[in-house]
């Protein structure tokens, strides 16, 4: 009995040991994971706190796009923080030291000679751009696998360690290739002092080493199209003064454009990075400047197309879409070389019908086109689904695939048939007899539907070319979604209804989809009146032409 009792006790102890070890084997990984998560979250809070208080434009990345070295400890790093303005790269451990040790680009800086002050180079060591050349010996920089060589954050010149002589450290910076686009820090400080003294002759203040100064402002919508706005913001801040670069998701265009009042009259150029909707938003803000009496500060506008359709940018020669294939340096060169032109802007007034209608008419500003029918229905369906799940519509390819889906669906359903029985159309006061149609499109620009020259169609008939600065609108009809698809691949012509200075469309019955520049809505019986509103000053890039442009120029 004693032996059995001792055996039971030993088995009980063994069972307890097993239970304890099992519990430890379960709890230990959980505790380690919890401790690591706590440390990681604590580290992230510290990093965010440094980011928030810093004068640098810090961003964190899990993987650098090129071989990188910490600017403090000089160790090779795969991940860490980088400054979007001056280009510093640093590991997590050295972030605080780097933030305290290195200065970022100064957007305003007081000089001894005012705006005519010279400025020394601002050198940053290491991580120079690939394929950059030394300004002294003209040999390639950054070829050694270590933290080496220097780059000036303003002029972008690079210099070897051994070529960095004493005179280079104190030499005046000329701001490099883009000196005519950059707003120098000393200039802003001088203008700020002049405003305090209530002096307004800013055009007499010429920055140091400037002859043909045309400062550029970059307004980027980080939510447009393929979500390239964040990358472009950092790249433009590297090349320009950071005060010239604005994120439209954080600051409204009207507020950003107030910088124009600090700059010489009629000298400013604006690069809008976004879709046609973003361009319209900026042009509306420029119209507000006219109302405030700031006509002399009105800038000229260039476009970097990040949206889905991009018909306005295509018309102005800036292409149908940007996906990073052109370096930002070349984009700035294109902005410098672009020619100024005018763009007609139109007032679209929608007045609801009814004896007891007390609502004010809806008023829109049109840059591209107005439509009623199948293409407006596609835009309405697309807009409704994007509002429900915006995360799914972050790619230009996906967006166009959704449009294709709804266009195919409408070919089968034909929700807009017999439009000619539901509407009346007047061009410059003259009523137009409509054939059997499903849609009517009123055009201000040459391109429509993501790159189609709708008015010219197949190009086999002698019609006057559509222009965006002649004060005329082109009005066409389509037989349905399938007809639209045929026109886009040049297998059919539109139903050309005419050109006019004023267009009036009366929707007599039922509810129909309408859109102005891609902004759709469902509209009941109403009267739509389109009249000329104003001109916008735009920039035309003539460097590249599409096949359609070549054909158009030949026909001229």
């Amino acid at each position: 009995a004693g032996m059995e009792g001792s055996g039971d006790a030993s088995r009980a102890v063994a069972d307890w040991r097993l239970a304890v070890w099992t519990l430890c084997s379960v709890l230990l990984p959980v505790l380690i994971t919890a401790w690591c998560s706590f440390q990681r979250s604590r580290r992230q809070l510290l990093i965010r706190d440094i980011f928030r208080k810093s004068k640098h434009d810090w961003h964190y990345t899990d993987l650098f796009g090129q071989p990188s070295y910490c600017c403090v400890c000089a160790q090779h790093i795969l991940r860490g923080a980088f400054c979007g303005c001056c280009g510093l790269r640093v590991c997590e451990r050295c972030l605080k030291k780097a933030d305290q040790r290195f200065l970022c680009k100064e957007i305003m800086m007081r000089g001894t000679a005012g705006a005519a002050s010279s400025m020394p180079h601002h050198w940053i060591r290491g991580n120079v751009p690939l394929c950059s050349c030394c300004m002294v010996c003209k040999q390639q920089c950054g070829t050694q696998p270590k933290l080496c060589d220097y780059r000036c954050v303003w002029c972008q010149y690079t210099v070897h360690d051994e070529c960095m002589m004493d005179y280079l450290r104190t030499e005046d910076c000329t701001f490099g290739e883009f000196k005519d686009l950059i707003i120098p820090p000393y200039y802003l400080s001088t203008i700020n002092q002049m405003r305090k003294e209530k002096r307004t002759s800013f055009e007499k203040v010429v920055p140091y080493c400037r002859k043909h100064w045309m400062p550029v402002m970059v307004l980027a919508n980080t939510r447009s199209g393929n979500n390239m706005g964040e990358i472009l913001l950092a790249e433009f801040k590297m090349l320009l003064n950071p005060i010239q670069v604005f994120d439209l998701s954080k600051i409204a265009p009207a507020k950003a454009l107030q910088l124009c009042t600090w700059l010489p009259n009629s000298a400013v150029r604006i690069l809008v990075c976004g879709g046609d909707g973003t361009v319209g938003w900026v042009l509306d803000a420029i119209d507000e400047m006219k109302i405030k009496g700031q006509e002399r500060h009105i800038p000229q506008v260039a476009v970097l197309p990040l949206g889905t359709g991009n018909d306005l940018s295509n018309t102005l020669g800036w292409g149908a879409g940007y996906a990073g294939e052109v370096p930002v340096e070349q984009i700035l060169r294109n902005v410098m070389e672009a020619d100024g032109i005018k763009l007609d802007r139109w007032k679209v007034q929608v007045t609801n019908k009814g004896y007891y209608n007390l609502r004010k008419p809806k008023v829109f500003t049109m840059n591209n086109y107005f439509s009623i029918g199948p293409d407006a229905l596609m835009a309405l369906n697309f807009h409704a689904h994007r509002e429900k799940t915006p995360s799914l519509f972050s790619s230009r390819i996906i967006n166009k695939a959704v449009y294709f889906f709804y266009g195919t669906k409408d070919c089968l359903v034909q929700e807009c048939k017999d439009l000619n029985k539901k509407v009346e159309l007047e061009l410059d006061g003259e009523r137009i007899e409509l054939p059997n149609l499903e849609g009517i499109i009123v055009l201000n620009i040459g391109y429509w539907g993501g790159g189609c020259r709708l008015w010219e169609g197949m190009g086999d008939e002698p019609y006057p070319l559509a222009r965006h600065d002649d004060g005329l609108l082109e009005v066409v009809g389509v037989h349905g979604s399938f007809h639209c698809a045929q026109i886009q691949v040049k297998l059919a012509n539109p139903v050309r209804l005419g050109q006019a200075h004023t267009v009036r469309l009366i929707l007599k019955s039922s509810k129909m989809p309408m859109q102005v520049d891609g902004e759709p809505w469902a509209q009941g019986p109403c009267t739509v009146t389109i009249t000329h509103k104003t001109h916008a000053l735009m920039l035309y890039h003539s460097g590249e032409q599409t096949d359609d442009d070549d054909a158009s120029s030949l026909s001229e």
Side-chain angles (χ1 to χ4, degrees):
M3 292 178 64
E4 290 178 0
S6 62
D8 292 339
S10 61
R11 280 196 297 271
V13 171
D15 291 341
W16 274 105
R17 286 178 178 174
L18 179 62
V20 169
W21 282 111
T22 303
L23 184 63
C24 289
S25 64
V26 173
L27 287 179
L28 189 60
V30 173
L31 291 173
I32 293 173
T33 303
W35 173 254
C36 292
S37 298
F38 171 74
Q39 290 294 329
R40 185 166 57 251
S41 62
R42 183 169 171 269
R43 188 170 65 249
Q44 288 174 349
L45 284 173
L46 290 173
I47 291 173
R48 279 200 293 267
D49 187 56
I50 294 173
F51 283 10
R52 182 172 54 85
K53 296 178 180 178
S54 177
K55 291 185 178 180
H56 287 275
D57 183 27
W58 291 117
H59 300 274
Y60 188 85
T61 180
D62 289 321
L63 183 65
F64 286 108
Q66 69 179 71
S68 301
Y69 300 88
C70 176
C71 62
V72 177
C73 65
Q75 297 297 311
H76 181 262
I77 52 175
L78 293 176
R79 64 178 184 178
F82 67 94
C83 177
C85 294
C86 65
L88 279 176
R89 299 187 182 189
V90 62
C91 62
E92 288 183 19
R93 292 176 300 174
C94 301
L95 176 60
K96 191 172 183 179
K97 290 181 181 178
D99 191 62
Q100 296 171 347
R101 184 182 300 178
F102 299 103
L103 293 175
C104 193
K105 278 185 172 180
E106 294 283 352
I107 61 174
M108 294 180 67
M109 186 184 300
R110 188 174 296 278
T112 56
S117 298
S118 58
M119 193 173 89
H121 288 287
H122 182 165
W123 297 108
I124 294 291
R125 188 159 187 256
N127 303 307
V128 298
L130 299 175
C131 301
S132 56
C133 292
C134 175
M135 64 176 293
V136 176
C137 68
K138 309 304 179 185
Q139 298 298 313
Q140 187 172 345
C141 287
T143 55
Q144 301 179 56
K146 63 178 182 179
L147 188 75
C148 62
D149 304 337
Y150 290 87
R151 175 183 61 87
C152 175
V153 300
W154 287 105
C155 63
Q156 310 304 320
Y157 288 159
T158 53
V159 182
H160 288 126
D161 289 332
E162 54 271 21
C163 295
M164 178 60 80
M165 294 172 281
D166 290 338
Y167 81 91
L168 279 179
R169 293 183 185 274
T170 57
E171 187 187 47
D172 291 337
C173 179
T174 61
F175 293 91
E177 179 185 359
F178 302 114
K179 63 183 179 182
D180 290 333
L181 301 181
I182 296 173
I183 302 176
Y186 291 131
Y187 173 86
L188 291 174
S189 181
T190 304
I191 298 300
N192 187 39
Q193 185 62 34
M194 291 178 65
R195 289 170 70 98
K196 289 179 181 178
E197 297 171 1
K198 297 184 178 180
R199 290 186 290 158
T200 57
S201 54
F202 301 158
E203 62 275 2
K204 296 180 182 179
V205 182
V206 181
Y208 176 69
C209 288
R210 301 296 193 278
K211 292 182 180 179
H212 307 288
W213 193 38
M214 53 175 78
V216 68
M217 293 169 55
V218 178
L219 278 62
N221 187 353
T222 55
R223 298 173 183 171
S224 287
N226 52 3
N227 295 326
M228 284 203 63
E230 291 281 358
I231 300 170
L232 288 168
L233 281 172
E235 292 184 348
F236 281 118
K237 283 180 180 179
M238 289 276 288
L239 296 174
L240 305 171
N241 189 330
I243 203 172
Q244 298 173 244
V245 184
F246 298 90
D247 183 354
L248 293 182
S249 66
K250 298 178 180 177
I251 184 171
K255 193 170 182 180
L257 289 170
Q258 289 308 302
L259 180 61
C260 295
T261 62
W262 288 51
L263 300 168
N265 299 340
S266 306
V268 183
R269 297 192 166 198
I270 286 182
L271 176 63
V272 180
C273 306
D276 290 345
T278 305
V279 178
W281 189 20
V282 173
L283 294 181
D284 288 341
I286 291 175
D287 286 345
E288 291 178 17
M289 292 178 66
K290 297 177 184 177
I291 296 172
K292 294 177 182 177
Q294 299 174 342
E295 291 93 345
R296 57 181 181 167
H297 299 295
I298 297 300
Q300 295 175 302
V301 181
V303 185
L304 184 63
L306 302 183
T308 301
N310 304 314
D311 291 305
L312 179 57
S313 66
N314 215 356
T315 300
L316 298 175
W318 297 100
Y322 178 76
E325 66 277 6
V326 180
V328 290
E329 293 86 353
Q330 185 58 47
I331 294 169
L332 291 177
R333 294 184 195 107
N334 293 342
V335 172
M336 280 196 292
E337 297 166 1
D339 300 317
I341 61 168
K342 289 184 177 180
L343 172 72
D344 290 324
R345 304 193 77 211
W346 300 82
K347 175 184 175 183
V348 180
Q349 181 171 301
V350 182
T351 307
N352 293 322
K353 281 191 174 182
Y355 293 105
Y356 303 103
N357 180 31
L358 301 177
R359 295 181 182 176
K360 290 183 179 179
K362 299 178 188 174
V363 178
F364 304 89
T365 301
M366 183 184 84
N367 303 311
N368 299 0
Y369 38 72
F370 162 86
S371 70
I372 175 173
D375 67 323
L377 179 63
M378 284 187 280
L380 185 62
N381 288 330
F382 174 83
H383 185 75
H385 280 76
R386 185 167 63 175
E387 289 293 314
K388 291 179 182 178
T389 53
S391 59
L392 296 178
F393 295 86
S394 59
S395 166
R396 190 181 290 128
I397 296 175
I398 293 176
N399 294 350
K400 290 191 175 184
V402 173
Y403 266 104
F404 176 76
F405 168 76
Y406 284 119
T408 306
K409 177 185 174 184
D410 187 62
C411 288
L412 303 174
V413 179
Q414 293 184 319
E415 295 183 36
C416 303
K417 63 181 179 180
D418 298 328
L419 178 69
N420 54 297
K421 298 178 182 178
K422 302 173 185 176
V423 302
E424 293 179 3
L425 178 66
E426 294 179 6
L427 302 183
D428 289 336
E430 181 181 346
R431 185 171 174 180
I432 304 299
E433 290 296 326
L434 297 175
N436 186 25
L437 297 173
E438 285 191 28
I440 295 174
I441 303 166
V442 182
L443 298 160
N444 178 46
I445 60 176
Y447 284 93
W448 165 87
C452 167
R453 296 193 70 92
L454 182 61
W455 177 253
E456 284 83 1
M458 296 169 62
D460 59 343
E461 299 175 5
Y463 275 87
L465 291 175
R467 293 181 59 88
H468 47 265
D469 58 354
D470 58 356
L472 281 173
L473 294 166
E474 288 72 37
V475 185
V476 302
V478 292
H479 297 302
S481 296
F482 186 68
H483 186 207
C484 290
Q486 287 180 308
I487 296 171
Q488 286 190 322
V489 295
K490 294 188 176 183
L491 292 178
N493 285 316
V495 180
R496 298 181 183 89
L497 300 174
Q499 293 177 299
H501 297 90
T502 303
V503 176
R504 190 164 179 260
L505 187 143
I506 302 170
L507 179 59
K508 297 182 288 186
S509 61
S510 73
K511 183 176 278 191
M512 294 292 291
M514 295 183 179
Q515 71 155 339
V516 174
D517 291 352
E519 296 297 325
W521 75 96
Q523 178 65 48
C526 67
T527 300
V528 179
T529 307
I530 306 178
T531 53
H532 193 269
K533 179 182 178 182
T534 185
H535 283 106
L537 300 178
M538 308 298 290
L539 290 170
Y540 182 83
H541 173 52
S542 57
E544 295 181 5
Q545 286 189 317
T546 62
D547 294 339
D548 287 341
D549 292 331
D550 292 335
S552 299
S553 61
L554 286 172
S555 64
E556 288 181 300

